[in-house]
Amino acid sequence: IQKNIRFTLEGDDISVLTDEKWLHFILNQLLGNALKYTDTGGSVQISISKNERGTWLSITDTGIGIPPEDLSRIFNKGFTGKNGRNEETNSTGLGLYLAKSLSEKLGHNLYVESTVGKGTTFRILFPHLSYYADKEEDFMIN
């Protein structure tokens, strides 16, 4: 509210299999960063969609973006990058590391795309469950 950031939510109501507590933690990290790095008057959009791979949840902001040289390291433990070293952000380099680690433990995939000066999109893929397909493949291999 203080930064007059516009928030939008798009997509249908879709259920996914996950752990509510840990997904809440992951989303809190991603949304917190989106708000932290988006200037006054910007926007944050959450969208939910489905395709052949699974359900996608995207968080897109119109923030400062992540420099290309930092993009491949933002999920490393303790990495704050150029943006995180700004004295106003108070970054520890643990939030995205934990979000990525927890996503993997939950069987989800976390992706990022960013353009400096235009914004960042984090996407979480909740893959379709393939329990029965995996069991058939195991049976046929043995």
Side-chain angles (χ1 to χ4, degrees), residues 44-101:
V44 173
Q45 175 186 11
I46 296 181
S47 62
I48 301 167
S49 61
K50 240 180 175 177
N51 68 11
E52 67 282 348
R53 291 184 62 197
T55 299
W56 292 88
L57 185 141
S58 300
I59 300 173
T60 302
D61 65 56
T62 58
I64 60 176
I66 302 167
E69 63 272 14
D70 290 349
L71 204 54
S72 65
R73 302 185 316 162
I74 63 168
F75 296 119
N76 293 352
K77 186 177 184 179
F79 182 76
T80 58
K82 180 181 175 185
N83 294 337
R85 288 189 293 272
N86 181 332
E87 62 190 46
E88 299 165 12
T89 60
N90 297 318
S91 295
T92 63
L94 293 177
L96 291 178
Y97 164 75
L98 291 171
K100 177 80 167 178
S101 298

